[in-house]
Amino acid sequence: MRLDFSGQTVVITGGANGIGLAAARAFVAAGASVWILDLASERPEVVAASIGARGLAADVTDRNSLEAAFAATGPPAVVVANAGIGEFRRLEDTSESFWNRTLAVNLTGVFHTVQIAAALMKPLRRGAIVITASTNSFDGEAGFLAYNASKAGLLAIVRTAANELGPFQIRVNAVCPGLIRTRLTEHAFRDPAVIKPYFQHIPLGRGGTPEEVAAAIVFLASEAAGYITGTTLVVDGGQMAAKYATWDEKVAEFVEDRWRLK
């Protein structure tokens, strides 16, 4: 099944690296006119030009900045609300400023993005919005209080916005990635002491790639998902489906960053 976005404008926040950049590449390959929005420090114009897209500096926590960026892109057919941050911080070490910053980017930033995008899409009576949430939207991984709270809140945005925007034929969905190899998680992937026991609880026995999440994003944005709205697509190698460790050294071995049957 080929997904064709020819003639469609796609806007991706946080698109200069990781999952956002992989999604940008996938949409460009599918024929879309892609705009990458990211912080100036991430050089979105340079990154976008390298993949045949266009880029603009924008801060999702700054409403005026985001509105100016969308004014430049024009009405989008697809918006990927992907900008986000995450950092380990235990409950007792979570300061108010850290809490506020995390929610400002991960939750309020998505609110701004969805609200601005919806206003531009409504007159067109069509559109697709895909939000990057997380498996942490569902669980309570220790050390990530602010991150977990922000990602859980995104699911409420998805469901409510899907309900309100459905009459305008605007679909709203989320992808919920598990542990994906990006700049934020590279340190974990480089440490076998971390990923070996972690991947024991993932039925596929490994972490994911940004490209695998991007494929899910493109699908949800496409006409192939034309009757799908208000839901989440979990991209986690089966982790959320597992109750106990899947992998056992009696029958498997950990080789090249993944568990394999002997």
Side-chain angles (χ1 to χ4, degrees), residues 124-135:
L124 305 177
R125 295 295 193 269
R126 60 178 174 79
I129 299 171
V130 183
I131 294 171
T132 303
S134 172
T135 52

Side-chain angles (χ1 to χ4, degrees), residues 111-208:
F111 157 69
H112 289 318
T113 303
V114 171
Q115 191 176 59
I116 294 168
L120 295 171
M121 290 174 168
K122 278 183 176 181
L124 305 177
R125 295 295 193 269
R126 60 178 174 79
I129 299 171
V130 183
I131 294 171
T132 303
S134 172
T135 52
N136 288 53
S137 300
F138 304 102
D139 64 28
E141 184 178 358
F144 290 95
L145 176 66
Y147 181 80
N148 296 347
S150 67
K151 291 297 184 177
L154 293 180
L155 301 190
I157 291 179
V158 167
R159 294 163 185 149
T160 307
N163 191 23
E164 293 191 21
L165 299 178
F168 298 91
Q169 303 307 302
I170 300 169
R171 299 182 299 105
V172 186
N173 293 291
V175 288
C176 290
L179 185 60
I180 307 299
R181 191 164 198 159
T182 66
R183 184 175 65 186
L184 288 175
T185 62
E186 181 62 30
H187 66 285
F189 277 83
R190 291 199 304 265
D191 188 350
V194 173
I195 60 172
K196 181 180 178 180
Y198 191 95
F199 291 171
Q200 277 187 284
H201 298 268
I202 298 177
L204 292 185
R206 63 175 178 86

Side-chain angles (χ1 to χ4, degrees), residues 48-166:
S50 72
I51 65 167
R54 287 175 284 184
L56 287 169
D59 183 345
V60 296
T61 70
D62 182 337
R63 180 74 179 217
N64 292 333
S65 169
L66 202 55
E67 287 181 339
F70 272 99
T73 69
V78 176
V79 168
V80 181
N82 172 74
I85 58 175
E87 183 181 332
F88 183 89
R89 195 76 64 89
R90 290 200 176 276
L91 171 62
E92 62 270 22
D93 298 322
T94 300
S95 65
E96 183 176 359
S97 61
F98 177 81
W99 170 270
N100 288 341
R101 175 62 181 166
T102 303
L103 267 64
V105 176
N106 292 359
L107 189 57
T108 306
V110 171
F111 157 69
H112 289 318
T113 303
V114 171
Q115 191 176 59
I116 294 168
L120 295 171
M121 290 174 168
K122 278 183 176 181
L124 305 177
R125 295 295 193 269
R126 60 178 174 79
I129 299 171
V130 183
I131 294 171
T132 303
S134 172
T135 52
N136 288 53
S137 300
F138 304 102
D139 64 28
E141 184 178 358
F144 290 95
L145 176 66
Y147 181 80
N148 296 347
S150 67
K151 291 297 184 177
L154 293 180
L155 301 190
I157 291 179
V158 167
R159 294 163 185 149
T160 307
N163 191 23
E164 293 191 21
L165 299 178

Side-chain angles (χ1 to χ4, degrees), residues 35-61:
W35 287 86
I36 288 175
L37 308 186
D38 215 319
L39 296 174
S41 60
E42 299 293 336
R43 304 186 306 150
E45 298 93 343
V46 175
V47 173
S50 72
I51 65 167
R54 287 175 284 184
L56 287 169
D59 183 345
V60 296
T61 70

